[in-house]
Amino acid sequence: MMDRWLPRWGAAVLHPYVICFVVVMVARAQEGASTSRSVWDGVYTEEQAKRGEEMYRKECASCHGDTLVGGGGAAPLTGGTFLSNWNGLTVGDLFDRIRKTMPQGALGKLTKQQDADVLAYLLSFNKFPVGKTELQKQVEFLKEIRFEATKPVAK
Amino acid sequence: MIMERVGRLKCLSLIGCVVACLGLPATSVAQWKAKDTEWPSYAADLAGTRYRALDQINAANFNDLEIAWRIKTDNFGNRPEYKLEGTPLMVNGVLYATAGSRRAAIAVDAATGELLWVHGEHEGARGGAAPRQLSGRGLAYWSDGKEERILYVTPGYQLICLDAKTGVRVTGFGNKGAIDLKQDDDQEILPDLTSGEIGIQSAPVVAKNTIIIGAAFREGMTPKSMRNNKGYVRGFDVRTGKRLWIFHTIPKKGELGYDTWLNGSAEYTGNTGVWSQVTVDEELGLVYLPVESPTNDFYGGHRKGNNLFGETLVCVDLRTGQRKWHFQLVHHPLWDMDISAAPILADITVDGKAVKAVALPSKQGFLYVFDRVTGKPVWPIEEKQVEAGTVPGEWYSPTQPIPTRPPAYSRNGVLESDLIDFTPELHERGKAIASKYHLGPVFTPPTESKVDWPLGTLTVGTASGGTNWPGGSYDPETHTVYAFACTACAEPIGLVRAPKTVSDMNYIAGTAGEEVTILRGPGENAGADSPMPPKKRSAGGGYVALNVDGLPLLKPPYGTISAINLDKGEIVWQIAHGETPDVVRNHAALKGMNIPRTGQETYNIGTLVTKTLVIAGDGQITTTSEHPRGAMLRAYDKKSGKEVGAVYMPAPQSGSPMTYMMDGKQYIVVAVSAGAYSGEYIAFSLPASE
């Protein structure tokens, strides 16, 4: 079995189309690393934030509060501590944290789409501008959107 | 129960072998071991000092610190934890800590971080219903010279006794190594042992073979009922687990203080626990209990009267639990001031006279100082008239005790002069926000929230202000208390009528125009055994963000460390602690302005004092030209407050730092976590060589 597969795999690696694909992917990865978009570029829609608000009220508000300020020491989702926790990371990092740990006590209850909607609501609540396309639900794509606490000064 | 013995470093045995091979006399071993400096209790010692007279790490080399070892806590539970608040212990070369969403007890080699053993309790529904979940703040160590024991309390409120060498339960203690703290508590914990609300997250204390355990509850701003379980304090025999005594923090009929609860309200009112750290003077045989607020934090209409021993420092006998003296810091508590910090024992000299004192940092920014034998204030604490509120059904104390000395070390009221003032325009916008609230000095009472006015009372130095659970530290050489304080943690306190479907109280915390909901607290329903959360309903408007374009509503400093000399009752120095937040440093409206370091709005910073330094980490993440995204662990000259060094951490300090000396090397260990960074203990030490 191994004898048969090895030459085929080697041939595939060297195929011109494969080389071309790899070159394109590397280029896109490098582009991703520079993450050209930020939360100030209108990365969610109003409709999505509304869906997210509904879900937030059902699943998140009992701990984080109706006003997102947290409950006692429960993590605030607005204000200085929230902004400092995520400033310099990406929306994907925040999405990842939500996916890994929320809702507390019911991990995995929400779908990726619902989590993306909640995330849109958090951005909306924190006055990041609304846009024309929805936040996607793939963490890899969300990791290309920078979380910047302060609005970039126009150059 | 999971239990695994990963290994055990036989430090003393190993040292003995090496010494025997070298042919050194036994006294050499003793001398060598004597150089080790341990940290055997949560706050270093039972006096609550967080002090160690070490100076290998000092101003000249603090910047050279490097990470000696680190241990992530993700796998000590079935989900990662982002709120690691522990301070480990170090005894005999072994570091003990609580860790992870399981609140596991762990033992690691203090020199390398190698895991020696881990012990966790699967508590099922009981753990899932616990009001205080996650890893807690630590554990206690006890030894009689032969046996070594580790004691900690699970989220489900069981006291667990472990063999410190193996992590295995000590079967001769309690019921096979555990005591169900929901039983034998002079009350029936309601509604049942599984879901009955009571727990604790602080570390137990062991003094002269007595374990002392308090109690905590869920956040008390929005209770479902005026009736709740009570937070009594108990002492247990460390050898057998037998209950030795109990102190009723809400007096029973016939006990002193019962008559401070009008209309029999002592019978049904709950909470009033001791959730912060307990301090003990073993020599005097006295225990100092910092008692928290009664039900509910902001409305006391169902518990008229002064409410002893709510928000009272109580001194009890270590052997019997009998009250020796008490001093109520807040009559009829309405501000969630609690007593959040551990009392600190200090032998001081006032006007040439030696005083055995106890000093108490607080959320309200007063450092209360008493003779710890008699309970008499070292400097007068005067009953001052305070504003009476207007909330229907409430009962107000006409006066509150206010220390004459030392002066308040943290902002504890909000006036217009406290508002953001970087520019006149920002100040005007701050005033517009503040105008929606009732303002005033310390002890300005909560208001009923109204859509027109006021939304509530805008406070600071209440629920999350001043010094919170990390407490202060104390230098016994210079008789100086060091305490972090959040000076800009603004808290709007509004009260709304509670629908009967939500609470049987007349009022709970809320904002007019918003849905009335029950809030859960930090870590509640977050632990490894927690169930699904309840569903909530939609909300309306009324919310006001307490910031101006992201800038904090109150002016800097946002967080400080103060050095307060106890011989004189004076603030020696005060500095802003924590890098200026990115949102302030990079704000377009402040471009070109030279803004001194502001410190940070955070409430969980604890300090450590050594021979020469005060050490504390930043509580928020920043990115500056001097360091990448992260937080700094800072060292200050303890005499002047001048920063003398800083070392990078990947995440903010979330548990107070500790230090120890082992095999000739000093270590500093600190818990970090927040945001995307899950809990981790990091040990710093100096490089072996350049």
Side-chain angles (χ1 to χ4, degrees), chain B residues 59 573-575 597 612-614 634-645:
Chain B
W573 53 258
Q574 186 173 78
I575 51 147
R597 182 180 284 177
T612 54
L613 304 176
V614 176
R634 299 180 190 279
Y636 303 97
D637 179 330
K638 73 179 184 184
K639 287 183 180 164
S640 66
K642 184 188 172 198
E643 184 171 315
V644 292

Side-chain angles (χ1 to χ4, degrees), chain B residues 361-362 365-367 407-411 467 483-485 560 562 564 571 574:
Chain B
S362 65
F366 293 126
L367 183 72
Y409 63 92
S410 179
R411 186 184 282 146
T467 306
F484 171 84
T560 59
S562 302
I564 304 167
I571 297 174
Q574 186 173 78

Side-chain angles (χ1 to χ4, degrees), chain B residues 12-13 73 268 297 303 425 470 513 532 588 605 658:
Chain B
L12 290 173
S13 304
T73 63
Y268 56 79
D297 284 349
R303 50 170 172 87
E425 193 249 333
M532 309 258 283
I605 298 302
M658 54 85 77

